Amino acid sequence: MTLFTYVHEFLRLSWLKAFFTVKTAPLTKPSYFRDFPELTGKECTHCLACKMICPCPGAIDVVQTDGVWNPQITQGHCVRCGYCVEACPEDVLTSGDLLARKHAQGLVFTHEYIVKIDTDLCTGCGNCTTACPANHEFDPLISAGGTSNSQEGVIRVEHGKNKVMHNERCKGCKVCMETCPNGAIHVIRNVTAVQEEA
């Protein structure tokens, strides 16, 4: 077919009329649409459940402004999965009808954090132990070398190596991972969705 044939076909009066006069239904968001999470106005307790469940690095952070904690969404990183809305125990975030469905289904997330140390890579420098905010709750005077007078923290240096003492006290902030110069420590997040009985 030649170019003339194509032009002749597209310039048919019936085709042009249909093209320029067609009416489409107005665009509306479906009820299940998930937009970027928004604040509901409820008080954030800085539990960090939203940040810890988020699968996208840098998508959410919990920041303090004028003494008030609130989640802050970076839209360029957020994929609108809605996990933060579902995981928040205080209903601080919402997206579409996700919060309403969460309550209707009785959905609750339980989570735990498991600290793993590669003893072959660990040099016992104590950076992670000193940086851990949970450790400071139990031993505010923890020394720069990671040695501690308390057995109650998450991790501590013993015999030149870091040792996990209490996994259940880990808050999942991953500061230990960020401060380890050898990549010897990892925080594994284990999340379970539970449907509460009515």
Side-chain angles (χ1 to χ4, degrees):
M1 295 179 70
T2 65
L3 179 60
F4 175 78
T5 307
Y6 279 112
V7 172
H8 181 266
E9 184 69 21
F10 285 125
L11 292 180
R12 282 187 302 126
L13 183 61
S14 59
W15 189 91
L16 290 173
K17 184 177 180 181
F19 182 82
F20 287 107
T21 60
V22 66
K23 293 183 178 180
T24 58
L27 295 176
T28 57
K29 290 182 180 178
S31 60
Y32 53 83
F33 177 77
R34 292 184 182 180
D35 206 342
F36 292 107
E38 298 176 342
L39 297 175
T40 62
K42 294 189 176 181
E43 183 180 358
C44 172
T45 59
H46 194 232
C47 70
L48 300 179
C50 57
K51 184 176 180 180
M52 295 307 113
I53 200 170
C54 178
C56 305
I60 188 169
D61 205 353
V62 183
V63 297
Q64 189 178 41
T65 306
D66 297 327
V68 178
W69 291 100
N70 269 315
Q72 188 174 32
I73 309 296
T74 302
Q75 294 188 0
H77 294 264
C78 176
V79 296
R80 301 184 291 188
C81 65
Y83 287 164
C84 57
V85 176
E86 295 175 321
C88 177
E90 308 299 333
D91 297 340
V92 175
L93 293 166
T94 186
S95 175
D97 69 342
L98 193 57
L99 194 58
R101 286 193 286 124
K102 168 186 169 182
H103 289 295
Q105 296 170 1
L107 187 64
V108 175
F109 279 83
T110 62
H111 59 273
E112 63 177 343
Y113 304 104
I114 303 168
V115 181
K116 294 286 187 182
I117 298 174
D118 187 333
T119 54
D120 293 331
L121 295 176
C122 178
T123 60
C125 68
N127 284 3
C128 58
T129 306
T130 307
C132 174
N135 276 358
H136 284 275
E137 290 182 12
F138 298 98
D139 186 3
L141 302 177
I142 190 168
S143 67
T147 56
S148 174
N149 295 323
S150 172
Q151 298 275 345
E152 302 303 314
V154 179
I155 49 179
R156 63 176 282 174
V157 175
E158 283 189 354
H159 309 296
K161 296 285 183 180
N162 264 317
K163 180 180 179 182
V164 179
M165 307 301 292
H166 293 281
N167 256 322
E168 73 278 4
R169 291 179 178 159
C170 175
K171 297 181 178 180
C173 67
K174 300 184 180 180
V175 169
C176 55
M177 289 176 57
E178 296 168 2
T179 56
C180 178
N182 301 314
I185 189 165
H186 295 278
V187 178
I188 301 168
R189 175 183 58 199
N190 186 16
V191 180
T192 305
V194 179
Q195 193 167 19
E196 293 184 327
E197 294 183 6

